[in-house]
Amino acid sequence: MESPSGAHAAPSLPAASTGETLSAAKAVLAPGPWLADPAWRSLVEPLGARVKKIVALHVDKAPQAHAGAVVFEDQDAFLLPLHHRGHWLFSCTSQEWDVEPDDIAAGLSAADLAQAHAVLERYAPGLSAHTASGRVFCDAYSPAREPLVRALDDSARVIFAGAANGSGYRLAPAIAAEAADHLGIGPAQRNSA
């Protein structure tokens, strides 16, 4: 966008849920699974990302001191030792698509539990009986199952960063670094200054 003086005007985003209007010279939009929020829905729809449910069970069995994460690649599931809490976290993706993050407050459904227990029974049958609690959430998934970091406007001043495909905690540092590079504030730009 150019102003009458020829200078670039800051892109304006729609009003926030508080009613405030935001404007900035550069911005990173990292909405997590809130892709359908009216404030940016039209900007992110062309990316083709969708939201899928993720189910996690707490396995009340203390992991051994040297235990590490166990990944079940074919099932898109993993067992993560939470040494500081004295239990394991078993996470697996559901096949329930296009969920709204604000609509899953009811928690784990009977179908979620049955699916998670079936996967756990297949790969770690001794642990299934030790699941006492759990949680459910969701994440944005890209069509290619790789995180998305790309410009949402022609001037590349609004960058989408996300669709971590259930691996946000692991991939967040790399996604943030790539978003900073897109905005011209990454290490390459800082080192050349």
Side-chain angles (χ1 to χ4, degrees):
M1 266 181 257
E2 284 198 19
S3 67
S5 67
H8 285 286
S12 289
L13 298 176
S17 61
T18 61
E20 297 171 278
T21 300
L22 307 172
S23 62
K26 297 178 180 182
V28 173
L29 177 60
W34 285 273
L35 298 177
D37 190 283
W40 48 75
R41 180 183 336 177
S42 63
L43 290 172
V44 301
E45 276 180 344
L47 299 174
R50 295 173 66 195
V51 179
K52 184 163 73 160
K53 185 187 278 188
I54 300 170
V55 173
L57 300 180
H58 302 153
V59 181
D60 287 338
K61 191 164 175 103
Q64 295 176 331
H66 65 279
V70 181
V71 178
F72 309 112
E73 199 71 41
D74 291 343
Q75 296 295 318
D76 199 12
F78 62 85
L79 269 167
L80 180 67
L82 299 176
H83 297 286
H84 64 289
R85 292 185 183 169
H87 69 87
W88 290 86
L89 179 72
F90 174 68
S91 178
C92 64
T93 59
S94 167
Q95 292 308 310
E96 189 174 337
W97 286 92
D98 303 317
V99 296
E100 289 293 328
D102 296 328
D103 293 343
I104 59 171
L108 293 166
S109 69
D112 295 332
L113 287 170
Q115 181 224 342
H117 278 128
V119 174
L120 193 56
E121 275 292 325
R122 180 174 180 189
Y123 292 100
L127 297 181
S128 186
H130 298 280
T131 57
S133 60
R135 58 184 114 164
V136 62
F137 199 57
C138 51
D139 199 10
Y141 285 70
S142 68
R145 298 299 183 267
E146 295 178 2
L148 297 173
V149 180
R150 58 184 54 143
L152 295 176
D153 64 331
D154 292 337
S155 61
R157 291 184 295 152
V158 179
I159 304 298
F160 176 87
N165 306 290
S167 298
Y169 287 112
R170 182 170 55 92
L171 301 177
I175 293 170
E178 189 173 340
D181 287 344
H182 276 276
L183 292 172
I185 57 174
Q189 293 76 19
R190 288 193 301 271
N191 292 337
S192 66

